[in-house]
């Protein structure tokens, strides 16, 4: 069975128009990747957990901010590796430079015996839709298109 996640596409109206908040995953695999690496804050849904509750929990875990606002469901997408993602669009604002992500541990380098700690998210940034498209995971770009269509 394919993994299932829920996430938040946070948006705001800035001086350049519609902007979305994207996050960059932490850890050594993503460290040198930029184009095609940014994504929405999202994570695995716990058994019995409602989609929106999971999305809000993951947002807080990955950014250190409890989100408030009206959540609008977007279409379910399937990422390249087969994971299903349910996303909610929420209008809001936060200081992207002030995020505090939870951490994870992994052996790095592989087979070294060294356990290192990394943030789940190493940075967040606001992007216009034009800026976001080349930065974002390709499989999540339809979320930007849907948000743009809904908001006009």
């Amino acid at each position: 069975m394919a993994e299932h996640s829920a996430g938040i596409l946070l948006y705001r109206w800035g001086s350049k128009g519609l902007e979305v908040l994207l996050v960059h995953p932490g850890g050594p695999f993503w460290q040198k990747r930029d184009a095609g690496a940014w994504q929405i804050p999202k994570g695995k849904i716990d058994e019995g957990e409602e989609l929106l509750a999971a999305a809000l929990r993951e947002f807080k875990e990955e950014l250190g901010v409890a989100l408030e606002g009206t959540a609008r469901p977007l279409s379910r997408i399937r990422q390249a590796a087969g994971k299903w993602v349910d996303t909610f669009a929420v209008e809001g604002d936060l200081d992207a430079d002030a995020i505090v992500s939870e951490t994870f541990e992994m052996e790095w380098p592989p087979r070294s015996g060294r356990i290192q700690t990394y943030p789940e998210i190493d940075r967040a940034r606001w992007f216009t839709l034009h800026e976001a498209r080349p930065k974002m995971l390709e499989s999540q770009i339809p979320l930007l298109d849907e948000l743009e269509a809904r908001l006009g």
Side-chain angles (χ1 to χ4, degrees), residues 8 10 41 55-63 65 67 94:
I8 300 287
L10 189 66
L56 293 170
R57 175 184 50 76
E58 285 292 334
F59 191 93
K60 185 168 185 346
E61 289 175 3
E62 294 188 351
L63 299 170
V65 176
L67 189 60
L94 61 78

Side-chain angles (χ1 to χ4, degrees), residues 2 9 52 148:
L9 179 56
L52 180 56
E148 184 177 36

Side-chain angles (χ1 to χ4, degrees), residues 24-92:
H24 188 272
F29 299 121
W30 297 96
Q31 188 174 19
K32 295 181 182 178
R33 290 190 59 197
D34 188 58
W38 293 78
Q39 51 198 274
I40 63 166
K42 62 171 180 37
K44 190 175 177 190
I45 302 163
D46 292 336
E47 189 173 329
E49 189 174 29
E50 292 187 15
L51 296 175
L52 180 56
L56 293 170
R57 175 184 50 76
E58 285 292 334
F59 191 93
K60 185 168 185 346
E61 289 175 3
E62 294 188 351
L63 299 170
V65 176
L67 189 60
E68 295 181 16
T70 303
R72 301 175 183 187
L74 298 175
S75 298
R76 177 179 287 175
I77 60 166
R78 188 165 191 170
Q79 293 190 163
K83 178 189 296 185
W84 289 101
V85 180
D86 280 279
T87 304
F88 297 87
V90 177
E91 184 173 4

